[in-house]
Amino acid sequence: MSEVKSKYLVDERGYFGKFGGAYIPEMLYPNVEELRSAYLEIIETPAFKADFEQLLKDYVGRPTPLYHAARLSETIGAKVYLKREDLCHTGAHKVNNTIGQILLAQALGKKRIIAETGAGQHGVATATVCALMGIDCIVYMGEIDMARQKPNVERMKILGAEVRAAKSGSKTLKDATNEAMRHWINNPQDTHYIIGSVVGPHPYPDMVARFQSVISEEIKWQLEEKEGKTSPDCVVACVGGGSNAAGAYYHYLDDEQVKLVAVEASGLGNDTGKSAATTALGREGVLHGSRTILMQTDDGQVVEPYSISAGLDYPGIGPFHAHLFDSGRADFVGVTDEEAMKAGVLLSRTEGIIPAVESAHAIAALHKVSFESDDIVVVNLSGRGDKDLETYIKWGKY
Amino acid sequence: MNRIDQAFKEKGNQLLNVYFTAGYPALEDTLPIAKALNDGGVDLIEIGLPFSDPVADGPTIQESSTQALANGMTISRLFEQLQDLRPQVDVPVLLMGYINPVLQYGFERFCARCQEVGVDGLILPDLPMYEYEELYKDVLEKYGLYNVFLITPQTSDERIRKIDELSKGFIYMVSSASTTGAKSGITNEQIAYFERIKSLQLANKRLIGFGISNNESFEKACEFADGAIVGSAFIKQIANDSSAAAIQSFVKNIKHPK
Ligand SMILES: Cc1ncc(COP(=O)(O)O)c(C=O)c1O
């Protein structure tokens, strides 16, 4: 992790612009405060950095390739590179963060790990690092998500994690997050909560973004090798909570020539009541411990979002992205279920890569942004489609 | 004088504060339940604003919140219901809720309405202390409202001192590291914590909440604090029977069983 200073990153009070902070009940304060007061010191030690980099290399398989997708580029009319996070061990970028956080949990002397998961990718990535380190692991997952991402539930179990169904509320990611927070309240001393995205109270959004920043750190030198310059014209990434996007944007935040495109899930369409496009449909408020943008009723009750993609089915975005939206630094684009699925098939047919449904949203967005033919565009291909076979089969149009 | 101070002044110790969720079990039950509690002899009343994502609450209060929202409860509706709070209810009333719905309603507008209907204090567990100091303290004071902070067994002495400085009315002592209703009864470990807090000789009164469910736990808590708060146990009571008679006998059984 190389140090980046940017007005788009967290300030010393834990805010990204006016977003962020730590809106947590006193029952969580000691846990979060312990983390806040220790995280920077720990992750900046040479020993931590060495362990982190070693594991990313030997265990995760980094650097992930930056691949020039020539046939896809033709259909888009720009030079498209794919940052192959789908080739990470466990199949998505999520593991970059869980490696970092498990090392941090060990440094803090924690004996047990809890996590929430939507698509199951973060749950699998957490179960994986817990198996690697021999630490107990409990993953909360919405009951509905358990049904639609069954293979990942079984993967977590094979890895030795206990998967607990979140049965409250909408029974999806936000409720799994609530249950994980409740677990943490009830077990404050021996447990570390590995949040899976750039959400939650400070320091989580900053910490997760730092661990994911390896993505753009690599893009810079890989692009230099291929194109003779470190900056592309555009970086595209899907945003659930926003961790893969945060990692892909991180080293380009102050390079205002680089257009940042954030892709949200519009579900069946933003006007159908079945969408998860937070910036299109939400307003400022407080969710899961941070001031951010979220989908809510006039009365401030959190709305149940919808997307075909479990990983994007979240009613908020991290404060990192709320600030990029509010300041106009990133452009937010909505992609429907149908557009994403078609893009998933397009990538499969043109490049022989079946993307995760989340990442297919980023591919679909390429049709919605206008490019010059010599533009260099990097799409962060956050995950592979293995976990989504059932979704592809159910959709059926291939 | 704020009714909260008055209650402590007049009644001294062994104060019973009962929590219930607004609009539960039925939408229009809020005021009748408050009145039954008042008539039954509770010393303070805490009315919960239901929220879709109550992270600090266990299943009992979660379910009451979900039901209340399904019943159509909103902050606006609550203030309409509380229009007739005074003089039907004369004990202090606090509103407790997560910050997001309050922010959406408008913080100052919320405080102004509280004052109009005769609410005495607020408990907003996810409002950060620094933000309270910088942005909201003056607003609460303007409308004569007290802000009550929580402390837990994990809260450091230094932070407790700071909370004691900022608090008005009383400090809400969460009895154990838990969500609401998760544990019942009082362990030796908790007693050590109660004694530690007692020995700090804080300026504010203290009420112990979470896990107080019957006369035994109420009286135990009162040995170490100025009173106690019952929440989940009362929600279970009204889920079963919310008649005035049942509520009055619930209160009597906690305070003075025969
Ligand atoms: C492959 C993949 N991409 C993206 C996401 C969305 O998360 P984030 O926005 O934090 O990158 C997920 C979440 O589960 C995922 O599995």
Side-chain angles (χ1 to χ4, degrees):
Chain A
M1 282 168 292
S2 55
E3 195 58 28
V4 172
K5 297 251 175 291
S6 164
K7 62 177 187 257
Y8 297 109
L9 288 175
V10 84
D11 63 23
E12 61 289 344
R13 295 172 40 119
Y15 283 78
F16 298 82
K18 60 180 169 174
F19 302 101
Y23 296 76
I24 47 171
E26 188 62 28
M27 292 78 97
L28 273 179
Y29 181 85
N31 311 22
V32 172
E33 179 58 18
E34 179 186 22
L35 196 61
R36 190 202 62 78
S37 61
Y39 84 112
L40 283 180
E41 206 173 302
I42 294 173
I43 70 181
E44 277 164 8
T45 58
F48 182 96
K49 284 188 180 175
D51 288 348
F52 182 60
E53 281 162 22
Q54 191 76 44
L55 283 168
L56 288 186
K57 178 165 176 281
D58 297 338
Y59 188 73
V60 174
R62 302 204 73 91
T64 58
L66 183 70
Y67 164 69
H68 174 217
R71 288 194 359 103
L72 176 69
S73 296
E74 265 173 48
T75 71
I76 301 301
K79 192 166 188 185
V80 179
Y81 282 92
L82 303 177
K83 179 58 174 163
R84 299 291 308 274
E85 293 301 299
D86 60 316
L87 294 178
C88 287
H89 177 45
T90 71
H93 69 289
K94 296 283 181 188
V95 72
N96 303 325
N97 169 44
T98 61
I99 294 273
Q101 287 205 46
I102 198 80
L103 292 172
L104 187 67
Q106 285 183 315
L108 290 169
K110 301 294 174 177
K111 303 279 177 271
R112 192 195 298 138
I113 296 297
I114 53 168
E116 85 297 334
T117 196
Q121 284 307 117
H122 173 60
V124 167
T126 304
T128 298
V129 298
C130 287
L132 177 68
M133 302 299 180
I135 294 183
D136 285 348
C137 178
I138 299 170
V139 179
Y140 287 90
M141 189 168 186
E143 209 170 35
I144 290 178
D145 292 338
M146 286 180 73
R148 62 178 165 175
Q149 304 278 311
K150 199 151 186 359
N152 273 345
V153 175
E154 300 310 317
R155 285 166 84 194
M156 288 185 267
K157 289 185 186 164
I158 292 169
L159 291 161
E162 181 188 341
V163 182
R164 292 193 186 163
K167 297 180 180 178
S168 58
S170 54
K171 305 180 179 61
T172 59
L173 181 53
K174 85 174 170 73
D175 311 285
T177 307
N178 292 340
E179 291 303 337
M181 287 188 166
R182 287 178 188 125
H183 184 115
W184 209 20
I185 286 174
N186 284 285
N187 300 274
Q189 268 143 356
D190 58 350
T191 302
H192 175 68
Y193 175 20
I194 300 191
I195 292 187
S197 192
V198 285
V199 302
H202 179 66
Y204 279 104
D206 178 51
M207 182 172 73
V208 176
R210 282 172 190 258
F211 291 145
Q212 292 292 357
S213 70
V214 64
I215 298 172
S216 49
E217 196 176 322
E218 288 174 6
I219 295 172
K220 279 178 78 173
W221 64 257
Q222 290 173 317
L223 209 56
E224 168 99 72
E225 274 181 17
K226 292 176 200 297
E227 296 286 343
K229 56 179 187 180
T230 56
S231 298
D233 296 293
C234 180
V235 179
V236 182
C238 66
V239 174
S243 66
N244 87 85
Y249 300 162
Y250 204 88
H251 288 268
Y252 296 117
L253 289 169
D254 278 349
D255 189 349
E256 310 256 354
Q257 301 302 316
V258 180
K259 184 183 172 87
L260 305 177
V261 176
V263 186
E264 296 184 317
S266 290
L268 302 183
N270 287 349
D271 53 2
T272 63
K274 290 266 177 200
S275 169
T278 302
T279 60
L281 300 172
R283 7 179 247 291
E284 208 180 307
V286 172
L287 176 65
H288 292 144
S290 75
R291 197 182 270 265
T292 187
I293 298 171
L294 61 134
M295 292 165 58
Q296 52 184 318
T297 65
D298 291 345
D299 306 311
Q301 305 298 338
V302 183
V303 163
E304 297 177 11
Y306 163 81
S307 165
I308 194 168
S309 141
L312 304 182
D313 200 354
Y314 183 71
I317 51 173
F320 181 110
H321 296 286
H323 184 42
L324 294 184
F325 175 75
D326 188 60
S327 61
R329 176 66 186 93
D331 291 343
F332 282 69
V333 174
V335 161
T336 63
D337 286 1
E338 191 68 17
E339 290 165 337
M341 296 309 291
K342 282 185 182 154
V345 173
L346 173 71
L347 189 69
S348 304
R349 300 281 162 92
T350 54
E351 301 293 344
I353 298 170
I354 304 176
V357 173
E358 291 78 16
S359 322
H361 283 73
I363 301 292
L366 293 173
H367 297 297
K368 305 204 157 189
V369 181
S370 51
F371 298 112
E372 304 290 331
S373 60
D374 59 351
D375 276 356
I376 296 170
V377 179
V378 175
V379 181
N380 196 34
L381 199 70
S382 56
R384 68 178 88 128
D386 304 23
K387 70 179 175 62
D388 294 316
L389 268 195
E390 212 157 313
T391 306
Y392 278 103
I393 293 167
K394 222 167 135 195
W395 178 70
K397 297 177 217 163
Y398 50 85
Chain B
M1 188 192 280
N2 187 300
R3 285 184 199 88
I4 299 172
D5 289 336
Q6 200 156 1
F8 282 104
K9 194 168 165 219
E10 282 169 10
K11 299 173 182 173
N13 54 15
Q14 301 224 345
L15 271 68
L16 174 63
N17 180 354
V18 172
Y19 168 94
F20 69 97
T21 306
Y24 178 83
L27 180 63
E28 296 304 332
D29 283 344
T30 316
L31 190 57
I33 289 174
K35 187 160 166 23
L37 285 169
N38 181 80
D39 298 348
V42 302
D43 304 298
L44 304 100
I45 295 173
E46 213 173 289
I47 302 178
L49 310 170
F51 183 49
S52 54
D53 294 77
V55 291
D57 288 301
T60 305
I61 294 180
Q62 280 175 47
E63 277 155 31
S64 71
S65 301
T66 305
Q67 184 60 49
L69 291 173
N71 291 343
M73 192 33 121
T74 63
I75 290 178
S76 305
R77 189 80 203 92
L78 176 62
F79 283 128
E80 283 165 26
Q81 294 176 346
L82 296 184
Q83 207 58 51
D84 304 321
L85 179 68
R86 311 292 180 190
Q88 292 192 46
V89 170
D90 47 38
V91 299
V93 171
L94 296 101
L95 298 188
M96 177 167 191
Y98 294 84
I99 192 71
N100 192 55
V102 175
L103 292 177
Q104 302 307 322
Y105 187 84
F107 196 89
E108 176 147 13
R109 178 175 168 226
F110 181 83
C111 292
R113 288 292 281 144
C114 281
Q115 186 182 44
E116 275 168 32
V117 301
V119 165
D120 307 287
L122 301 181
I123 308 176
L124 303 167
D126 57 350
L127 176 65
M129 195 158 74
Y130 60 85
E131 194 153 297
Y132 168 74
E133 272 188 280
E134 284 171 21
L135 299 176
Y136 300 123
K137 187 169 177 281
D138 292 346
V139 183
L140 268 95
E141 278 169 10
K142 178 172 166 190
Y143 296 99
L145 297 170
Y146 281 6
N147 192 57
V148 171
F149 289 92
L150 276 57
I151 63 172
T152 80
Q154 274 72 39
T155 310
S156 68
D157 285 0
E158 187 193 348
R159 188 167 163 87
I160 291 172
R161 296 271 178 220
K162 173 87 186 163
I163 285 172
D164 193 36
E165 254 171 54
L166 283 179
S167 291
K168 281 187 167 178
F170 63 93
I171 289 174
Y172 191 135
M173 277 177 67
V174 175
S175 68
S176 66
S178 71
T179 44
T180 53
K183 294 168 189 161
S184 63
I186 291 175
T187 63
N188 288 340
E189 198 184 333
Q190 284 170 285
I191 287 178
Y193 154 63
F194 297 162
E195 279 176 339
R196 174 170 71 88
I197 303 304
K198 195 172 176 184
S199 74
L200 291 177
Q201 308 217 320
L202 302 177
N204 281 278
K205 302 287 183 183
R206 288 158 290 117
L207 298 182
I208 295 176
F210 287 37
I212 311 298
S213 59
N214 53 25
N215 174 257
E216 192 192 344
S217 46
F218 175 70
E219 290 200 340
K220 195 82 203 164
C222 289
E223 286 175 29
F224 302 95
D226 305 285
I229 305 168
V230 176
S232 296
F234 183 65
I235 298 290
K236 285 182 186 148
Q237 166 62 49
I238 56 177
N240 183 38
D241 184 349
S242 62
S243 66
I247 289 172
Q248 291 181 22
S249 98
F250 177 91
V251 173
K252 182 162 177 289
N253 280 332
I254 291 203
K255 285 191 95 170
H256 317 284
K258 281 279 145 59

